[in-house]
Structures are given as structure tokens and as C-alpha cells.
Amino acid sequence: QVQLVESGGGLVQAGGSLRLSCAASGSSFSIDAMGWYRQAPGKQRELVASITSGGSTNYIDSVKGRFTISRDNAKNTVTLEMNSLKPEDTAVYYCFLEAGYVYWGQGTQVTVSS
């Protein structure tokens, strides 16, 4: 069993920055990828960014150049640095981990005011 604990998020003005972190713990597992999805009210959950065990990254077009995902393999953590935030980035952000199965964090609210 894998547990994901998220931290960060909150309320910020447009143009500001936030950092989300997610730490994985539990039984021994081999991580294929980690990353973040988000879900805004009335919208489907969408993949924001992911990073593989080899360090390959993927971003949704709307955050490219503004968000940076990084990973500490030794600590099983993934971090999402979010800069130049826009009101449309407002959503609940969910950490995920792929290790033969997809595990989810509990979600953390990010609110960007205009």
C-alpha cells in the first residue's frame, strides 16, 4: 500500500507563485512516474505535469513555461513549482504515483484571485 501526502497550495493573487509537494510512503514499490492532475469546478480532471523515474517530463500546454515539476527519487517526493499563476489555474490539485497501479493523494486547493 502506498500513501501520498500533499502539502502546499492555498490562495494567491494572479501573477504569484505557489509550490506543491507530494511525499510517497508505504510498502516497497518501484515508481514509474509521479505527477499532478487538477480538477476545476464543473470540469474534468486533467493531467498538469508528470515526471518519469528517468526524469522525463510532460506538461499540459497551458502551463508550459510557468510550471516546473521535479522529483527526488531518494525521498520519493515530487514538487510542482507554479509561477505566473492565472485565475484559470484555480482547481484542486491531486498528486499521483504510478507503480503498477495508480495511487492518488487527497487533493489540495489552489485558488488564484484576479
Side-chain angles (χ1 to χ4, degrees):
Q1 190 69 17
V2 174
Q3 293 82 42
L4 300 177
V5 177
E6 300 158 348
S7 59
L11 173 64
V12 66
Q13 288 188 331
S17 299
L18 285 173
R19 175 187 293 179
L20 304 181
S21 294
C22 176
S25 62
S27 304
S28 121
F29 49 87
S30 175
I31 301 174
D32 296 320
M34 295 184 74
W36 298 86
Y37 274 75
R38 68 185 179 188
Q39 187 165 21
K43 295 188 176 181
Q44 290 189 328
R45 190 175 293 194
E46 62 181 2
L47 176 63
V48 178
S50 64
I51 184 166
T52 68
S53 57
S56 296
T57 58
N58 180 54
Y59 298 92
I60 191 172
D61 285 347
S62 60
V63 308
K64 287 180 180 177
R66 301 188 297 120
F67 290 12
T68 302
I69 190 169
S70 60
R71 181 169 158 181
D72 185 330
N73 289 333
K75 296 182 179 179
N76 289 332
T77 59
V78 63
T79 299
L80 186 67
E81 297 278 357
M82 304 185 293
N83 298 312
S84 302
L85 282 161
K86 303 175 180 180
E88 50 264 43
D89 294 318
T90 296
V92 178
Y93 284 68
Y94 296 90
C95 173
F96 75 92
L97 180 155
E98 292 182 13
Y101 182 79
V102 180
Y103 299 89
W104 295 95
Q106 77 281 5
T108 185
Q109 178 70 45
V110 171
T111 302
V112 184
S113 63
S114 56

